[in-house]
Amino acid sequence: MTVTAAPASTLQGKPQTRPANPAFSSGPCAKRPGWSLEGLSGALLGRSHRAPEGRARLGEVIDRSAAILGMPEGWRLGIVPGSDTGAVEMALWSLLGTRPVDVLAFESFSATWANDITAQLELDARVLKAEYGELPDLKAVDWSRDVVLAWNGTTSGVKFPNGDAIPTDHDGLVICDATSAAFAMELPWEKLDVVTWSWQKVLGGEAAHGMLALSPRAVARLEAGPAPRPLPKIFRLTSKGKLIEGIFRGDTINTPSMLCVEDALDGLKWAEGAGGLKGLIARSRANLAAIEKWEETSNWAQFLAVEPSIRSNTAICLRIVAPWFIALDAETQTKAAKKIAGLLAKEGIAYDIASYRDAPPGLRIWGGATVETSDMEALLPWLDWAEAEVRAEFSA
């Protein structure tokens, strides 16, 4: 759909300017500016993804994605089922087991990968933990082991500041969940071995499809021998000891939605016109900058990631530090935070911005490249309005 500006409120006490697009969800995320169903009119509906035209569309998603991200020569990129979760699980189950593992857990999804590695795969693993809003001690990582990490904590608002902590030459593989980082942050490809993401984050695509990128070192690991465990068909990346190259040319393991494929291409073409990776990063950073300027003078909100260098510019997480809120018990804090988000949704100002269920109670605002900075700026006075409304209710 095409989102148009809603009329400004005339009620006393409410800000006069409203975001033109109230979609601030952290996934699925806002569609690109100007998106409409007309952009999907060329979708190959009712056609086989195995037909030459279908393969060509899927291959185009792969090629355009790799080009925008600056993926190095020799890497393979494929479309896989199950969104980013499917891509990560394929990597964990197919690649891990020949070396001990260090896994960094500092928010909900990276904690899930840690649990899978320790409880499901039962590998020799160290879990390096950090509280929400912080990164684990990167100096404690043993890069001779396989390392599993999230580049950006979607539920904590924390990102890797850069790739300096990762040695270019490392014995193990570095498996990087980049679902809320790809297309909005620089990734040090030369220091990574597996990178995963999904369509529904920074480019605002539709869900259920994941992307799996493998370095030559990762491919060599796959081809060195079978996985040390049985794998279901949907996870298998090799056949007769060789990589299934078709997966990385558009021959997907299962049937993809060609409507979603067309939408992914629409987002990629928009990204190219928006200045490519540099332009996308600039758009996302401008959204974070708008919130940073507001947060500096806020008397009730603070970034969950206090340290600016590790602060996410996509999944922007805020905690509530006002005395009235701190005085509440934990259960009531959760109710109050959800009430703030609920008021904004009811007003049609911002949808789905409550913090993730496992995170500290607060707000999570998506600042990816498809979000217009003018909408972010229009949202901020409404945050103050909603907090004042809830404060009055819970302080009474």
Side-chain angles (χ1 to χ4, degrees), residues 345-369:
K346 184 177 180 180
E347 291 285 337
I349 298 300
Y351 297 129
D352 314 318
I353 66 167
S355 58
Y356 193 73
R357 60 179 179 268
D358 295 333
L363 302 174
R364 180 174 59 152
I365 303 166
W366 185 253

Side-chain angles (χ1 to χ4, degrees), residues 61-113:
V61 171
I62 292 170
D63 292 343
R64 287 182 183 272
S65 298
I68 293 172
L69 292 171
M71 190 175 299
E73 192 74 26
W75 278 63
R76 267 76 155 206
L77 177 61
I79 299 168
V80 299
S83 193
D84 178 65
T85 299
V88 173
E89 295 287 8
M90 287 178 74
L92 301 185
W93 286 73
S94 299
L95 286 164
L96 296 184
T98 59
R99 287 177 176 269
V101 184
D102 275 3
V103 53
L104 280 59
F106 57 97
E107 48 88 52
S108 300
F109 292 105
S110 53
T112 297
W113 311 145

Side-chain angles (χ1 to χ4, degrees), residues 299-301 319-327 387 391:
N299 61 2
W300 65 271
R319 59 180 177 174
I320 302 171
V321 296
W324 72 267
F325 185 86
I326 299 299
E387 185 272 340
R391 178 185 356 120

Side-chain angles (χ1 to χ4, degrees), residues 270-315:
W270 169 79
E272 292 164 352
L277 183 59
K278 288 184 178 180
L280 298 173
I281 291 173
R283 289 178 61 89
S284 182
R285 287 180 175 172
N287 289 327
L288 173 60
I291 296 187
E292 286 180 325
K293 183 178 179 180
W294 167 83
E295 187 261 0
E296 287 178 357
T297 59
S298 175
N299 61 2
W300 65 271
Q302 186 179 80
F303 286 106
L304 195 53
V306 176
E307 170 55 46
S309 67
I310 63 170
R311 190 175 294 157
S312 172
N313 50 289
T314 54

Side-chain angles (χ1 to χ4, degrees), residues 128-151:
L128 306 180
K129 297 182 180 180
E131 296 298 322
Y132 278 83
E134 300 175 359
L135 278 177
D137 180 6
L138 301 182
K139 294 179 181 178
V141 180
D142 183 351
W143 301 99
S144 69
R145 303 158 71 98
D146 290 334
V147 178
V148 178
L149 56 88
W151 196 261

